[in-house]
Every structure is written in C-alpha cells, then in structure tokens.
Amino acid sequence: MITLESISKVFHPGTVNENLAMDNVSLKVNPGDFITIVGSNGAGKTTLFNLISGSLFPSTGKVSIHDKDMTRIPEYRRAKFIGRIFQDPTLGTAANMSLEDNMVICSKKGFKGIKMSLNASKRKFFQEELKPLEMGLENRLKDNVGLLSGGQRQALTLLMTVLSRPDLLLLDEHTAALDPRNAQIVLDLTQQFITDYNLTAMMITHNMKHAIDYGNRLLMMDKGHIILDVSGEEKKRLTVDALVKKFHEIKKEEYATDEDLLVT
Amino acid sequence: MIEGIIVDGLIFSILALGVFISFRILDFPDLTVDGSFATGAAIVAICIINGLGIFIGIVLAFIGGAIAGVVTATIHNKLKVPNLLSGILVMTMLYSINIRILGGRANIALLRVDTIFTKVITLGGSIPREYALLLFMIIFVMVIKVLIDLFFRTDLGITMGALGNNEQMITTNGVNPETMKVIGLGLSNGLVALSGALLGQYQGFADAKLGQGMIVEGLAAVMLGEFLLRSNKIFYITLRVVLGAILYKGLMFFGRYYGYYINMTPSDLKMITSILVIVSLVIAKSQDSAGQRRKEQK
Ligand SMILES: Nc1ncnc2c1ncn2[C@@H]1O[C@H](COP(=O)(O)OP(=O)(O)OP(=O)(O)O)[C@@H](O)[C@H]1O
Ligand SMILES: [Mg+2]
C-alpha cells in the first residue's frame, strides 16, 4: 500500500557539501507489516521516514500511498494516512496545553472547523483510552502535558497517534530518550496497539534485540541503501549475533568489491 | 480620573488581545500591528465622516485590519520571508495606505460628528458620562473576550493554540500550519484595528501614525498580565491580558503625572515601556529555568 520507487535524495546538490543520503531505494510496505529498521548513524533511516511522510521531497523517484502518486504532496496532507513519532518526546505533544486539548487535536486528522467537540462524552472517551496506559493519566485531563515525565509523554504521544488509526505508523527511535523501564513500557504498548488495531508500522531502532524481537520484517540500511530485507521465517530465525555478522559480511563484501575495482 | 484610565486600558486591551494571539498563541512576532492599529482608526473616521455609519465603520475597520494580517501571513508563508520582516514590510506599506484611506491627509479630526462614544453618552441619559463610557467599554470588552474564549474552545482554536508550542505536531496531525497563521494573524490584526477604531473615536481624531510603538506597548500589557495570574485556562489567560492592559495604562498614567519628581518626561515613557518588556522577559526566563531545575531534581 506504500511504495517507494527508485527514490534518491541529494542534500545540498552542486555544493561541496553534496550528500547522497538516499541512493535509488525501492521499497514496498505491505498492509500489516511491522518492519524494524537498523543501521549505523547517518545510514539514512530518518531520511527514509522524512521521504515517506513528506517532510522531505525526493530528488528523483516516486512515492505512492494506496496506489496514488504522493511524491509532491506536502506532509500535512499525507498525515491523514501516516502517524509519526519522534525520538524527542516533546515533539509529539504541546507542552503548555492540557491533556484533553492535546487529545482533541489528534483525535481527528485534517483541518478542524469551528465546532466544539470537547464535551463530557468526549472526555469520558479520552479517559477510557488513557486507562490501558496504567499511568493514572485518566485523572489528569486538565493538567498541562509539560508536567508529565518523558515516559508518560511518549506513551501519551503513542496513544494519541493511534487514536486516528493511521494506515502507517512511523516510529523513529521513539524509546531511545527514555530510561530502560519506561522504554520497555512504551515498547510493550507499541506492540499492543499494533496488534489490537492491526496497524502497519515501521520502527527505527539501534537496539538489535528489539529489531529481532519485534515485527515480521527487518531492514538494514547503510549509506542510503537498504542492504538487507528479511521477513517471515528467515526473520524469526535471526539472532543478534547473526545480524551483527551479516552486517560485517555485507560491509566486507562492499570492501572487497571496492578493492576489486581498484585492482582492475 | 480612575474611570478614564480604565476606559483607556479597556480600549487598549483589545489591541493587547490581538498581540497576545500573534505573540503567544502563534509565536509569531507580528509587527503589522503598528500599521493596522492606525488603519482601524483611519477606516472608521472616514466612514463616519462620509456618513456610512459608526457600526459599518467599526466592522470595516476590523476587516481592514484582518486583511493586513492575512497579507503578512501570506508574505511569510508563500515567499518564505522571515516573520519579523513580513510584519515590517506590511507595517511600512500601511503607512502609505493609511494616508490614502484618510484621503491624502496624515490625520483627520472627528469633531462635531457622532461617534460610538457620543452615542453612548446620549444613551446613558442621566448617568455621568465617565460611568456611561466605563460601563459600555466593560460590556464591549467582555463580549470580545467571551467570543475569543469560545473560539479557542473550538477544535480549530485548540489546534491553533498548539501551533506556537509545537508546529510539527500540527503538521503531523494533518493541519497546514500556514492556514493557521493566516487565520490567526487575520484575527489578531482585526482586533488591533478594532482597538484603533475605538481609540480614534475616543480621542476624536485619526492619525496615520497612531500605531507607532503600539506593538511594544501591547507586549508589555501581555507580559504584565502574565505576572498577575497563572493558569492554562483560556478564560484566565484572556482575562489577564485585559487586566495587564489596564495595569499598563495605570502605570503609564502615574509615570506621566508623577514622573517629574524623578525628572521623567512623557517622552521617556516609550523607553520605560521597552525596559518593562525587557525586565519581564528576564524575570520570565529566570522563573522558567528555576521551574526546569525543580522538575529535573524530582
Ligand atoms: N535536512 C538535511 N540536510 C542536509 N543533510 C541531511 C539532512 N537530513 C539528513 N542529512 C544527511 O543525510 C544522511 C542520513 O541522515 P539520517 O538522519 O537519515 O541518518 P539516520 O540513519 O537517521 O542516523 P541516526 O541513526 O544517527 O539517526 C546524513 O549524512 C545526514 O547528515
Ligand atoms: Mg535518525
């Protein structure tokens, strides 16, 4: 349902800083996929998300969502289909607004009109939604979000993001800024929401174990390429060691071909 | 005397509400205000003098200000001009436009014509004129305040409320931040022009440069208000803007009348206003970092 065709992205073209951050990448995300993405710093993982969500436009190539060409459609219009969570917990919520106001903004995607949807039944609904987080947030609807801890904020962001049941959930190291306990809580919630609501998701992580434990498909990126794409049984059989080995193998292969090139 | 200060403050509070929307809600330091304030006064003056009526004049003043705000937002959005510069450009354009509105003159007097305030005084009958004006302005500002409160309770208003806080969040939720800025700056400058329209009638003249320095004064009122009341509820937030505006006018009054004891002249007031804003910024900043530390210690 989401396809990237031969996507390339060049930053600062024609300058000394020219940087090919995405090199002819093609990818088809199938409905129901839960894809984990690993790769070293600067591999292009976030850039991939930026290209999918529309906060960046590709230099060449085509992005389609539900078979519709979205290559030049701005981020806010693609947001109808896409829910995105960042590493920084402060990016998902408005700190100096109350919980309930934050939730109003997220409960429906798209332009909001002059209507007052925040009423008693809506509050009740928000409270019901907040209960499963088991953080007591259902009693704090009027508190400013800025008063919450990082873990609470990220859990809230996750909840608010799935409130609109996006067709694709993009998670960019969304637990990396949290302590291990909170990271685990948010990760468990992520899994739970994805299963319960049948979401399609992509999750960037630097934790190889998480990449293996979660999801049905794993991508490894390097220097703007997807260098590994495994799914199904093959993914299930992956171990951290095997993954690390694979990474080095591919790196070495690349090295070898480079040497070959030098020789010839 | 005190009634006069409060009436002055109430007229000014409508501008402060506009400045509050651009600076606080949208996080858009909008300098259009210095021009659109005078635009409001100019439009209403010309409407009254040409017999279009006071009410139509006030409505057109609001619309005129709103258009100025929309132009600023559009220049910023579409031409990617930084927000400060967009405001300065429109403000400068408005100096010329205001003189055109005034029929090629730099100012116009509203003598021997009915204004909203002469009407109020007549309507008040035996009520002393300063009380009639005070009562009218309290009701007028109340209505404006309640309308603004209601707007910021709507889904659109709530979303706009998040813009200055977290633009990424707005985008992630499928709302175009550019549209929000157009609506917000339109509303903001509409209010500013409305305030100008009232002041013009209150003073009995409209001047193309009526708005000079108003942006800083509005900001000072907003910041003073923030020291008076702490809340995240829109009811109190707009209330404190109004109270801040009245307090500001009170302070300025005392500065003007008692300042000579410390060798201060009325022309020093603008400097005092700016210093007031700077001090408020410093205090707010130190409170902010103190709060941050408290949170981190927990
Ligand atoms: N907006 C931008 N302007 C210029 N260069 C950019 C921009 N965004 C990313 N890059 C460059 O593109 C490359 C890929 O960056 P990206 O952020 O996608 O890496 P990443 O895989 O997410 O890394 P990390 O694990 O550190 O988050 C890097 O070389 C980076 O410097
Ligand atoms: Mg990244």
Side-chain angles (χ1 to χ4, degrees):
Chain A
M1 52 150 205
I2 291 190
T3 45
L4 307 183
E5 291 167 56
S6 318
I7 294 282
S8 295
K9 178 68 192 177
V10 186
F11 287 114
H12 313 296
T15 71
V16 282
N17 293 325
E18 184 169 298
N19 179 3
L20 182 62
M22 198 58 53
D23 187 5
N24 199 23
V25 164
S26 296
L27 177 72
K28 188 170 182 334
V29 179
N30 304 307
D33 265 354
F34 179 4
I35 303 174
T36 57
I37 302 172
V38 293
S40 45
N41 294 111
K45 306 180 295 297
T46 301
T47 304
L48 179 72
F49 277 15
N50 284 335
L51 290 164
I52 293 176
S53 69
S55 55
L56 285 178
F57 290 149
S59 308
T60 55
K62 186 175 159 195
V63 181
S64 7
I65 303 179
H66 295 313
D67 296 323
K68 270 215 282 294
D69 185 356
M70 293 270 170
T71 315
R72 300 280 144 190
I73 301 291
E75 184 177 11
Y76 76 91
R77 283 180 53 201
R78 288 188 214 183
K80 222 177 352 189
F81 310 102
I82 295 172
R84 186 170 184 190
I85 303 184
F86 301 86
Q87 178 174 346
D88 181 356
T90 63
L91 281 180
T93 43
N96 59 14
M97 292 179 86
S98 65
L99 240 88
E100 55 182 23
D101 285 354
N102 269 278
M103 293 182 80
V104 166
I105 298 170
C106 300
S107 51
K108 205 179 122 261
K109 290 279 182 88
F111 186 80
K112 279 115 185 133
I114 309 257
K115 59 174 188 307
M116 281 187 222
S117 64
L118 189 60
N119 52 26
S121 75
K122 194 91 180 180
R123 287 198 177 90
K124 188 107 201 87
F125 167 72
F126 288 162
Q127 283 176 326
E128 289 306 318
E129 293 285 323
L130 284 165
K131 265 183 202 153
L133 301 187
E134 295 176 0
M135 291 176 167
L137 296 183
E138 61 274 16
N139 304 317
R140 299 181 66 181
L141 280 185
K142 307 246 179 234
D143 276 2
N144 270 5
V145 168
L147 297 171
L148 306 184
S149 74
Q152 288 173 327
R153 252 180 113 163
Q154 201 67 325
L156 177 67
T157 304
L158 181 65
L159 174 73
M160 296 193 330
T161 307
V162 300
L163 218 52
S164 60
R165 309 281 183 266
D167 295 340
L168 177 66
L169 186 60
L170 297 177
L171 309 162
D172 192 347
E173 300 184 51
H174 69 308
T175 62
L178 309 178
D179 62 79
R181 201 182 66 89
N182 274 309
Q184 195 55 52
I185 292 175
V186 171
L187 214 49
D188 288 343
L189 282 169
T190 306
Q191 178 68 66
Q192 186 190 325
F193 285 137
I194 289 175
T195 318
D196 289 357
Y197 304 138
N198 234 328
L199 300 175
T200 306
M202 298 172 84
M203 178 172 87
I204 296 174
T205 176
H206 277 289
N207 186 320
M208 293 286 176
K209 194 167 150 36
H210 290 163
I212 288 169
D213 290 350
Y214 294 89
N216 66 319
R217 186 172 167 193
L218 183 147
L219 303 182
M220 186 185 278
M221 292 193 67
D222 189 49
K223 294 187 187 130
H225 296 272
I226 295 176
I227 54 171
L228 185 70
D229 182 350
V230 291
S231 52
E233 284 305 312
E234 198 187 350
K235 158 96 176 22
K236 275 188 199 144
R237 281 198 303 273
L238 268 182
T239 61
V240 173
D241 285 342
L243 195 58
V244 172
K245 223 174 102 204
K246 215 154 206 149
F247 185 65
H248 287 303
E249 256 171 46
I250 289 163
K251 284 290 229 187
K252 225 178 277 145
E253 237 169 63
E254 193 180 274
Y255 215 68
T257 49
D258 277 352
E259 276 173 350
D260 288 349
L261 277 174
L262 282 175
V263 174
T264 49
Chain B
M1 184 180 80
I2 184 94
E3 303 84 20
I5 297 172
I6 297 177
V7 168
D8 224 23
L10 286 169
I11 293 175
F12 172 60
S13 73
I14 300 172
L15 171 131
L17 285 166
V19 171
F20 159 76
I21 291 174
S22 55
F23 269 75
R24 283 294 186 255
I25 304 261
L26 303 174
D27 195 20
F28 191 118
D30 175 29
L31 301 191
T32 315
V33 170
D34 275 19
S36 57
F37 188 68
T39 305
I43 291 178
V44 89
I46 230 61
C47 285
I48 290 175
I49 282 173
N50 291 317
L52 263 171
I54 299 164
F55 179 73
I56 291 183
I58 290 177
V59 171
L60 288 180
F62 182 90
I63 294 173
I67 291 172
V70 167
V71 172
T72 302
T74 308
I75 290 176
H76 169 68
N77 287 339
K78 295 300 168 210
L79 307 180
K80 309 292 171 212
V81 175
N83 46 23
L84 275 172
L85 184 57
S86 313
I88 292 173
L89 290 172
V90 175
M91 173 187 87
T92 309
M93 281 194 255
L94 285 176
Y95 281 147
S96 307
I97 292 169
N98 291 340
I99 288 174
R100 285 226 170 249
I101 295 173
L102 290 171
R105 284 159 292 187
N107 52 56
I108 224 171
L110 285 170
L111 302 171
R112 283 179 294 279
V113 286
D114 264 340
T115 67
I116 186 102
F117 296 106
T118 62
K119 290 265 190 216
V120 166
I121 292 165
T122 323
L123 207 74
S126 60
I127 308 174
R129 61 171 267 151
E130 52 273 29
Y131 287 108
L133 293 181
L134 181 61
L135 191 66
F136 167 73
M137 274 318 296
I138 289 176
I139 296 171
F140 193 92
V141 171
M142 273 304 162
V143 171
I144 302 276
K145 180 199 157 357
V146 168
L147 287 176
I148 292 176
D149 289 356
L150 284 176
F151 173 72
F152 282 110
R153 297 308 308 149
T154 64
D155 295 2
L156 176 66
I158 291 174
T159 308
M160 193 180 286
L163 178 71
N165 216 227
N166 192 343
E167 187 164 331
Q168 177 63 52
M169 177 189 177
I170 302 292
T171 313
T172 316
N173 285 291
V175 180
N176 188 356
E178 295 186 353
T179 314
M180 289 290 124
K181 286 177 190 170
V182 169
I183 299 172
L185 285 194
L187 179 60
S188 163
N189 282 287
L191 289 169
V192 168
L194 178 59
S195 177
L198 290 179
L199 187 72
Q201 297 179 68
Y202 190 61
Q203 293 186 334
F205 68 90
D207 188 310
K209 288 196 175 148
L210 197 61
Q212 234 167 37
M214 283 320 265
I215 181 70
V216 181
E217 296 193 33
L219 203 52
V222 169
M223 290 178 164
L224 278 178
E226 282 163 4
F227 291 122
L228 295 178
L229 280 173
R230 300 208 154 262
S231 176
N232 67 348
K233 297 210 170 52
I234 191 70
F235 177 86
Y236 294 106
I237 293 176
T238 51
L239 180 67
R240 75 186 178 201
V241 175
V242 175
L243 295 178
I246 296 170
L247 178 62
Y248 172 80
K249 283 294 173 185
L251 287 176
M252 287 300 118
F253 177 84
F254 281 99
R256 205 172 297 125
Y257 281 83
Y258 301 102
Y260 69 88
Y261 285 118
I262 53 166
N263 215 356
M264 209 171 84
T265 67
S267 60
D268 291 331
L269 288 176
K270 290 229 190 278
M271 186 172 76
I272 303 290
T273 304
S274 289
I275 292 174
L276 196 68
V277 171
I278 293 169
V279 170
S280 304
L281 284 170
V282 170
I283 295 177
K285 194 147 208 141
S286 67
Q287 281 179 345
D288 238 33
S289 53
Q292 197 64 38
R293 265 195 307 275
R294 254 195 319 274
K295 230 180 109 185
E296 277 161 12
Q297 276 163 9
K298 260 197 264 175

